[in-house]
Amino acid sequence: MGRKATMADVAREAGVSPATVDRVLNGRGGVDTDKEARVLAAARRLRLDRALAIRPHRMLRVAVLIQAPRNPFHAALRTGLDTAARVYADLNIQFFVHHIDPNDPKSTAGIVARQTMETDGLIVTLPDEPRITEAVGAAAAARPVVTFATDLPTSGRAAYVGPNDRRAGRVAGDLMGLFLGPQGGRVLLIAGRRDILGQRSREDGFRQILAERHPGIDVAPTAENGEDGERAGRIVLEALSADHAIRGIYHMSAGAQPVVAALRRLGRTDSTAFITHELTPDRRDLLRERAISAVIDQQPDLEARIAVETMARLLRRLDGAAESVETGFAIHMPENA
């Protein structure tokens, strides 16, 4: 059996003085963040027993920018973030959630700018509107930025955590083709905002697979509800009342319950295929009632946890490379809801 590691071993491994190791491992403070991270990483690599439960001395602050919890998907993201923050409480990182209005890019860009000055990093899910992308780009030049759930690929962000939305859209389109069958028909697409890259990518994938494999399906012009659930219901009422050829709805935003309420009011629940995203509690119930045909879920709790881990790596509070992670998605239907 080899000898146990000592503080002198840790000092050599981390490239610091024994006094610095002593200050870190005894929680005395006064060590900059970079040296502290090197000491803790070295101590854990060398399996120094007393390092396993050492909490970094300096608290780091991370801003998280998501929509308000009235959007059920963003409520699920918030729950996942809160859980991840508890799991990694020993890393001494505090996460401050700020709710943004996706329909107010000027205000959102201002929040990004302020949080860049006040925090050590940002985790964001935002529209790729020019003012927002510019603000995130400025943030990324000064701080680590992680995008999750939807990306801002031209912003200079350090990493993206989330699904391949084009592939998810292709899956939705293939399901729609199977639901409508050889008869085909017209499909109504409802996006929240088309300047949210994830939704735009889903639409692209949906249209692409229909053109390739289901040419009997025609897609009506895409409607945007501005991430307003009640507006989604009004869109369905108006569109299906005016166009009786619509046999399917592909919905990418808030408002599953209003959409179902509109279908029920029109007596079209059984005759309309309804595909949406995110298995929130209300959508699970509607799926079990067969008011929704299928839900494609991107596992927001997993996204949130990986986003927190990625930020912790960027801040050198966790070992390992901080890379973009493509999370998967699952298909839920009434029988596995």
Side-chain angles (χ1 to χ4, degrees):
M1 181 181 296
R3 70 179 182 85
K4 289 187 176 182
T6 67
M7 290 173 64
D9 296 326
V10 173
R12 282 191 295 272
E13 177 80 6
V16 299
S17 69
T20 297
V21 175
D22 177 71
R23 296 190 70 82
V24 172
L25 297 185
N26 288 298
R28 295 195 179 97
V31 179
D32 70 43
T33 303
D34 180 68
K35 286 184 179 179
E36 181 184 60
R38 281 157 47 199
V39 168
L40 290 176
R44 286 164 180 157
R45 281 196 302 273
L46 294 173
R47 301 182 182 279
L48 189 72
D49 291 342
R50 64 185 297 185
L52 298 179
I54 293 290
R55 180 186 179 98
H57 186 264
R58 177 174 173 251
M59 184 191 75
L60 299 179
R61 298 165 55 90
V62 172
V64 180
L65 276 60
I66 58 176
Q67 292 182 37
R70 61 177 173 271
N71 182 313
F73 174 65
H74 287 261
L77 286 178
R78 172 64 187 267
T79 299
L81 287 161
D82 290 345
T83 300
R86 289 195 297 272
V87 168
Y88 291 108
D90 63 311
L91 301 180
N92 205 13
I93 302 173
Q94 283 198 326
F95 296 88
F96 298 88
V97 175
H98 301 267
H99 295 138
I100 61 97
D101 180 353
N103 299 305
D104 189 350
K106 181 179 179 181
S107 172
T108 299
I111 294 172
V112 171
R114 287 194 299 276
Q115 294 310 309
T116 300
M117 300 295 294
E118 297 175 4
T119 62
D120 299 287
L122 293 90
I123 298 175
V124 304
T125 177
L126 301 171
D128 58 337
E129 193 273 344
R131 283 167 290 186
I132 294 174
T133 302
E134 181 180 358
V136 173
R143 301 279 186 269
V145 175
V146 174
T147 56
F148 75 133
T150 188
D151 198 9
L152 297 170
T154 64
S155 67
R157 50 71 174 153
Y160 164 63
V161 176
N164 182 325
D165 283 298
R166 181 180 294 273
R167 183 175 299 160
R170 287 180 63 88
V171 168
D174 218 14
L175 285 172
M176 186 64 74
L178 295 172
F179 290 152
L180 299 191
Q183 181 183 348
R186 187 167 295 127
V187 174
L188 172 66
L189 267 63
I190 305 174
R193 292 185 59 95
R194 294 189 73 255
D195 62 3
I196 295 177
L197 179 60
Q199 295 188 29
R200 195 165 66 248
S201 297
R202 289 173 182 173
E203 178 184 344
D204 290 345
F206 185 85
R207 291 179 180 273
Q208 186 181 60
I209 193 69
L210 291 183
E212 292 173 7
R213 299 189 58 87
H214 308 284
I217 296 178
D218 174 46
V219 181
T222 301
E224 293 183 73
N225 71 351
E227 298 286 277
D228 179 341
E230 293 302 321
R231 187 174 172 188
R234 294 193 296 271
I235 288 169
V236 170
L237 275 176
E238 294 170 6
L240 271 66
S241 296
D243 188 349
H244 297 288
I246 293 175
R247 298 183 59 227
I249 297 171
Y250 178 36
H251 172 256
M252 298 173 272
S253 177
Q257 287 183 316
V259 168
V260 169
L263 289 173
R264 286 173 172 163
R265 179 174 170 182
L266 295 167
R268 293 285 304 275
T269 306
D270 295 335
S271 61
T272 306
F274 176 23
I275 299 172
T276 189
H277 290 263
E278 321 319 345
L279 193 66
T280 53
D282 60 325
R283 296 183 190 202
R284 186 187 295 273
D285 291 342
L286 293 171
L287 194 57
R288 288 171 174 166
E289 295 168 14
R290 296 183 178 268
I292 295 177
S293 306
V295 173
I296 301 170
D297 183 59
Q298 64 178 283
Q299 302 171 286
D301 54 341
L302 175 65
E303 287 178 325
R305 177 177 64 78
I306 296 175
V308 166
E309 291 172 354
T310 302
M311 178 56 70
R313 290 189 175 98
L314 288 165
L315 294 173
R316 303 193 65 181
R317 290 288 166 92
L318 278 180
D319 292 339
E323 300 175 334
S324 294
V325 177
E326 182 179 310
T327 55
F329 51 83
I331 302 169
H332 297 268
M333 297 177 71
E335 291 301 318
N336 71 325

